[in-house]
């Protein structure tokens, strides 16, 4: 009875909530990315933008070359070890944006071109995080079950920093779910979990984010996705989040020197975050 009353109360808020989702995702026909002037980059991004529009996710193979990967790994290990919140199964660090090497991964011109052409609005770097998933017994809870991120049209860039074979601690993405609209309850922290609603999945509709170290994925986090926890192998990743809706931005720390050294288009995407904090 109590659950029914909750559902009924939330139902009254759904029309306004769906309208807000629509407005959050609506593109701006006047938006033109500064990167559009780079014609070769624009042309190369077209197939990726098409796939992202159709499926909600796209794979970027060898996003980092071997030399870049080696440099990023050194910085990642420093960042996660020195700036992490540790628990028994994972290590996290939100200090990624303080490292010029790591921050530039999230401001890669190829990725920004695709994101800009997909969102079609001025957008911000909303979050930057390094993450190591340690081996653990299989669990299904929190983000490690089917869910969406309740944040309108937000794109994530996930970069693999370790080899991630199929069946290990991979993320899975249910393609073609990124255009769905959700009720007010389905956009709350608890209601956005769809574990009990998804019983059988067509394997052709699920992309597993496995690959080699240096591969990356761009995905619309409005689509349904699920992490996996098991004891097959550890997983090291960088995650960058981009949104055109400022209220979804999270605190972002950046060195003043690093910020000033960024190209104009990259600096703009960082400063679009209203919670940006420049530090000495």
């Amino acid at each position: 009875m109590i659950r029914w009353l909750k559902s009924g109360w939330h139902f009254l808020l759904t029309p306004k909530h769906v309208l807000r989702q629509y407005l959050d995702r609506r593109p701006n026909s006047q938006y033109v990315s500064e990167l559009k002037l780079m014609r070769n980059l624009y042309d190369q991004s077209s197939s990726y933008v098409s796939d992202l529009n159709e499926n909600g996710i796209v794979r970027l193979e060898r996003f980092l070359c071997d030399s870049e990967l080696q440099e990023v790994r050194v910085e990642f290990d420093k960042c996660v070890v020195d700036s992490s919140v540790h628990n028994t199964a994972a290590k996290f660090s939100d200090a990624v944006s303080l490292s010029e090497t790591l921050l530039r991964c999230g401001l890669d011109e190829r990725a920004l071109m695709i994101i800009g052409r997909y969102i079609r609005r001025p957008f911000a770097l909303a979050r930057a995080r390094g993450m190591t998933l340690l081996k653990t017994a299989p669990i299904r809870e929190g983000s490690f079950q089917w869910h969406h991120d309740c944040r309108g049209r937000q794109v994530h860039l996930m970069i693999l920093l370790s080899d991630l074979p199929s069946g290990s601690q991979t993320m899975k993405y249910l393609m073609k779910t990124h255009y769905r609209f959700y009720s007010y309850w389905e956009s709350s922290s608890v209601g956005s979990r769809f574990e009990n609603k998804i019983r059988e999945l067509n394997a052709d509709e699920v992309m597993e984010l496995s690959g080699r170290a240096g591969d990356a994925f761009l995905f619309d986090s409005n689509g349904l996705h699920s992490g996996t926890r098991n004891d097959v192998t550890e997983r090291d990743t960088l995650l960058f989040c981009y949104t055109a809706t400022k209220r979804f931005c999270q605190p972002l720390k950046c060195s003043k020197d690093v910020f000033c050294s960024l190209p104009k288009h990259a600096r703009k995407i960082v400063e679009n975050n209203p919670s940006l904090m420049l530090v000495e």
Side-chain angles (χ1 to χ4, degrees):
M1 180 67 177
I2 294 177
R3 184 174 181 179
W4 182 87
L5 288 173
K6 281 187 175 181
S7 176
W9 179 77
H10 286 121
F11 177 79
L12 297 175
L13 299 176
T14 290
K16 180 180 178 180
H17 181 70
V18 170
L19 176 61
R20 172 172 270 196
Q21 289 180 72
Y22 169 77
L23 295 175
D24 285 344
R25 302 183 204 178
R26 186 177 59 175
N28 180 352
S29 60
Q30 304 301 315
Y31 172 69
V32 177
S33 168
E34 294 179 14
L35 290 173
K36 190 172 183 179
L37 299 176
M38 303 179 185
R39 193 68 215 182
N40 290 340
L41 195 62
Y42 185 88
D43 292 340
Q44 292 169 10
S45 69
S46 294
S47 62
Y48 295 109
V49 176
S50 177
D51 288 345
L52 190 55
N53 274 306
E54 180 179 358
N55 298 315
I57 187 168
V58 65
R59 178 191 297 267
L60 306 174
E61 293 187 356
R62 295 188 62 79
F63 182 77
L64 298 178
C65 68
D66 291 341
S67 59
E68 291 171 329
L69 178 62
Q70 185 175 7
E71 184 179 0
V72 168
R73 279 277 357 171
V74 171
E75 284 295 305
F76 177 85
D77 291 340
K78 291 179 183 177
C79 181
V80 170
V81 169
D82 295 337
S83 308
S84 296
V85 176
H86 294 262
N87 60 34
T88 57
K91 297 186 290 185
F92 300 92
S93 175
D94 289 322
V96 165
S97 52
L98 290 172
S99 164
E100 180 175 6
T101 299
L102 301 183
L103 179 61
R104 286 184 181 274
C105 291
L107 298 172
D108 177 88
E109 290 177 348
R110 297 162 295 175
L112 296 182
M113 174 68 81
I114 297 169
I115 295 166
R117 292 185 63 187
Y118 177 72
I119 294 179
R120 290 181 289 164
R121 290 168 61 183
F123 63 95
L125 177 61
R127 187 181 194 182
R129 166 169 278 196
M131 181 187 308
T132 294
L133 294 184
L134 306 174
K135 294 181 181 180
T136 184
I139 55 174
R140 299 294 295 173
E141 63 181 22
S143 295
F144 303 99
Q145 56 185 325
W146 287 102
H147 69 284
H148 68 94
D149 287 353
C150 325
R151 299 190 184 104
R153 202 169 176 84
Q154 178 168 270
V155 176
H156 290 187
L157 170 65
M158 178 183 285
I159 307 172
L160 305 185
L161 300 184
S162 56
D163 292 339
L164 203 59
S166 177
S168 61
Q169 297 196 87
T170 55
M171 195 191 92
K172 295 180 176 65
Y173 190 93
L174 185 57
M175 296 187 291
K176 305 182 190 300
T177 59
H178 55 304
Y179 288 123
R180 292 184 179 182
F181 288 95
Y182 298 99
S183 69
Y184 183 86
W185 169 249
E186 289 173 332
S187 296
S188 67
S189 59
V190 176
S192 66
R193 271 49 181 169
F194 285 72
E195 191 76 359
N196 295 328
K197 296 182 180 181
I198 299 181
R199 299 296 183 183
E200 296 181 4
L201 294 174
N202 185 337
D204 293 336
E205 296 176 346
V206 177
M207 177 184 285
E208 184 180 20
L209 278 61
S210 60
R212 299 192 309 171
D215 289 350
F217 300 85
L218 281 171
F219 61 94
D220 185 331
S221 64
N222 186 63
L224 295 176
H225 54 285
S226 171
T228 303
R229 300 308 311 270
N230 57 41
D231 58 1
V232 175
T233 185
E234 293 186 1
R235 188 190 87 177
D236 294 329
T237 55
L238 285 174
L239 182 69
F240 298 92
C241 308
Y242 313 84
T243 182
T245 309
K246 290 186 176 181
R247 71 177 184 279
F248 294 138
C249 289
Q250 300 187 26
L252 188 73
K253 289 184 179 180
C254 184
S255 160
K256 285 185 179 179
D257 291 339
V258 171
F259 177 77
C260 292
S261 71
L262 295 173
K264 181 180 178 181
H265 65 269
R267 194 163 61 245
K268 181 65 175 176
I269 290 169
V270 173
E271 69 183 2
N272 279 346
N273 185 324
S275 299
L276 173 66
M277 295 175 284
L278 296 178
V279 298
E280 298 294 343

